[in-house]
Amino acid sequence: MGILLKNISTLLTLQGAREKHGRHIVEEDLSISHKQSILIEKDKIAWIGNKLPKEFAKKNHKEFDMKGMTVLPGFVECHTHLIFAGDRAAEFEMRNQGVSYQEIAAKGGGILSTMKHTRGSSLNDLVKQGQKRVNHFISQGVTTVEVKSGYALNLKDELKVLQAVQKLEGARTVATFLGAHALPPEFSTYESYLDFLSEKVLPEVKKKKLARRVDVFIEKGFFPKEASEKYLRRAQELGFDVLIHADQMTLSGGADTAIKLGALSGDHLLQITDKEIKALAKSEVTCVMLPSADLYTRTKYPPAKELIEAGARVALATDFNPGTSPTQDLNLVGLLARLEMKMSLPQVLAAYTVGAAYALNLQNEVGSLEVGKSADLVCTPQDWRTLFYSVGEASEKQVFIRGKKAFDPLK
Ligand code: NIG
Ligand code: FE
């Protein structure tokens, strides 16, 4: 017995976008069709079409009439710092009154201020707060959420944060170790801290199977490129996938390093030039754009249009964190991508599904609706052309994750 979603008015499978590996996306790649049905068996898509074949028809499926509904793949939120305690509202006010992010960080505020709150929170409290945030993502149609550590910056509490990620329920979660987020007060050089992470923390994370990905914040005033490269190579030797917070505030070599190491993604990329755009387009690195962080930091937006035209694969995400992007609003991200980065709506939809799935190396499981893939889907009465158009709207999305109803706006 499975679930049969019958008579779907408009189905967007994004199969075309998957076949093009998320590159050069045009409307056709949304793979739109009408009057379709989807059969879900257990957690997977068993069949898509308009007439259920005999072999499936015999079974007693639970049927839902989807007339008037649009169905599309669940959104993949591929860059968040979702586990943290406290807020940074006072700093937000200071930044608006003219103090820079770097000045605040240099005085022990910024990431280090969130570190104090996060170290001081219990596992239980972090899970409780984290679960609320995951639920909020799910209500917007998110079915996979990436979560970074990086607000504890010592062995004990970084492990606690990653344990909290493991306890989150509802959506599929992907944990990333971001110990290299800022220099904690216990260390005086970036190099010695990275050595400590390589020698003491990464092996523990590996042994306890708490994350399969390692991220580093390469930036002026944060982690230098050379030492970061050495650290990421060590992570790769241990079997981790790597990714980089790259070229956010200054052109610091993050994109170059991502390409050189074959990183899964380079994230932010505001400061890149034509040279990096061309190189990224030729590479397998997914370019993760985080425009709500650019809004909050009042910097420029990354060259998404140029990247897409050059053939790069682009993803979008919220970068949800208390400092530079205190928002979980996917509509805001999509809106900024359209308004400020001139991405087309099909490009936004592909970036939040197929592109983001690649960033997490989950392109064979999620991001498009195809037989054998996870039954992660969004069902909405909205026309697809009204997606990523308004902000502040109530969600009308019914969300299935791994074949189970995870959110229903009517309940
Ligand atoms: O993605 N760039 C580094 N990390 C975060 C900011 C974290 C913070 O300020 O707390 C980001 O923007
Ligand atoms: Fe980030």
Side-chain angles (χ1 to χ4, degrees):
M1 198 181 110
I3 295 177
L4 185 62
L5 304 178
K6 262 176 71 173
N7 200 22
I8 298 166
S9 290
T10 306
L11 174 66
L12 286 69
T13 67
L14 277 287
Q15 190 183 338
R18 170 66 181 96
E19 281 162 8
K20 285 166 78 175
H21 308 281
R23 299 178 194 266
H24 292 294
I25 299 301
V26 292
E27 185 171 326
E28 214 174 53
D29 303 319
L30 301 178
S31 306
I32 301 179
S33 57
H34 303 281
K35 294 206 177 145
Q36 298 290 306
S37 300
I38 297 181
L39 178 66
I40 299 170
E41 284 187 335
K42 296 205 181 97
D43 56 339
K44 299 248 174 359
I45 297 172
W47 169 84
I48 302 177
N50 45 30
K51 180 140 187 8
L52 196 64
K54 278 201 197 96
E55 75 233 60
F56 292 120
K58 286 177 210 131
K59 303 173 197 166
N60 202 10
H61 306 301
K62 194 167 168 197
E63 294 189 4
F64 292 92
D65 184 11
M66 305 300 277
K67 188 157 187 281
M69 299 293 269
T70 302
V71 174
L72 65 153
F75 297 123
V76 177
E77 172 55 50
C78 69
H79 182 140
T80 84
H81 304 251
L82 180 136
I83 300 285
F84 61 85
D87 65 66
R88 302 241 292 280
E91 284 178 17
F92 178 61
E93 175 70 358
M94 280 165 71
R95 292 214 309 271
N96 291 332
Q97 300 309 317
V99 191
S100 77
Y101 182 87
Q102 278 96 336
E103 280 167 329
I104 294 170
K107 289 199 181 111
I111 294 171
L112 293 186
S113 129
T114 304
M115 178 201 80
K116 285 183 205 119
H117 288 101
T118 307
R119 283 186 182 178
S121 283
S122 68
L123 173 64
N124 232 338
D125 285 346
L126 292 175
V127 175
K128 245 201 214 152
Q129 208 164 18
Q131 188 61 53
K132 272 195 215 161
R133 295 168 180 165
V134 169
N135 296 348
H136 184 46
F137 271 130
I138 295 173
S139 74
Q140 299 175 74
V142 171
T143 51
T144 299
V145 192
E146 187 258 13
V147 185
K148 300 175 196 299
S149 70
Y151 285 123
L153 313 178
N154 64 21
L155 175 63
K156 172 170 125 310
D157 297 297
E158 280 288 311
L159 295 182
K160 173 183 76 181
V161 167
L162 291 173
Q163 275 152 5
V165 180
Q166 267 191 343
K167 288 182 186 293
L168 298 172
E169 292 171 357
R172 176 184 292 92
T173 51
V174 175
T176 302
F177 177 66
L178 177 58
H181 197 193
L183 187 66
E186 294 81 3
F187 287 83
S188 55
T189 66
Y190 286 96
E191 287 74 10
S192 59
Y193 179 52
L194 288 173
D195 285 344
F196 161 75
L197 292 180
S198 301
E199 285 158 26
K200 297 280 185 310
V201 188
L202 288 183
E204 279 298 303
V205 173
K206 175 89 193 153
K207 197 170 87 196
K208 296 194 158 72
K209 294 196 171 84
L210 289 169
R212 285 169 37 208
R213 300 153 46 86
V214 172
D215 190 352
V216 50
F217 185 21
I218 298 183
E219 188 55 65
K220 194 165 160 218
F222 289 86
F223 292 84
K225 178 176 135 170
E226 285 73 25
S228 301
E229 184 182 325
K230 182 177 149 207
Y231 168 67
L232 291 175
R233 283 195 193 282
R234 178 76 192 116
Q236 287 180 318
E237 280 163 21
L238 289 169
F240 290 98
D241 285 330
V242 300
L243 55 143
I244 299 176
H245 271 73
D247 305 310
Q248 180 182 8
M249 292 152 191
T250 56
L251 185 63
S252 326
D256 288 345
T257 310
I259 296 166
K260 195 163 159 193
L261 297 181
L264 282 179
S265 68
D267 302 40
H268 289 287
L269 304 173
L270 280 58
Q271 309 290 346
I272 58 173
T273 67
D274 282 351
K275 179 174 147 276
E276 288 81 27
I277 293 174
K278 285 204 187 85
L280 283 164
K282 274 201 221 121
S283 77
E284 284 302 319
V285 177
T286 299
C287 303
V288 180
M289 317 271 94
L290 305 158
S292 51
D294 308 328
L295 174 74
Y296 272 103
T297 52
R298 306 207 65 235
T299 42
K300 59 182 173 183
Y301 291 85
K305 199 78 194 160
E306 289 81 353
L307 282 164
I308 290 169
E309 271 161 20
R313 179 172 45 242
V314 162
L316 283 165
T318 60
D319 194 15
F320 173 46
N321 76 73
T324 61
S325 191
T327 178
Q328 294 189 246
D329 193 330
L330 268 72
N331 279 330
L332 175 64
V333 172
L335 184 75
L336 291 170
R338 298 178 74 184
L339 274 176
E340 301 288 351
M341 288 151 53
K342 302 298 170 210
M343 286 172 69
S344 69
L345 178 57
Q347 287 164 354
V348 170
L349 288 169
Y352 241 128
T353 52
V354 172
Y358 270 95
L360 301 180
N361 203 13
L362 288 177
Q363 64 275 14
N364 294 327
E365 259 176 81
V366 304
S368 58
L369 301 180
E370 293 172 83
V371 171
K373 284 192 149 182
S374 185
D376 294 1
L377 28 106
V378 172
C379 311
T380 173
Q382 285 174 271
D383 185 310
W384 71 269
R385 289 181 196 276
T386 70
L387 295 166
F388 298 112
Y389 162 59
S390 321
V391 284
E393 62 185 10
S395 177
E396 295 185 274
K397 299 178 177 83
Q398 279 175 33
V399 185
F400 286 86
I401 303 181
R402 293 189 167 116
K404 293 215 169 69
K405 184 84 76 72
F407 181 76
D408 190 335
L410 302 173
K411 281 194 182 138

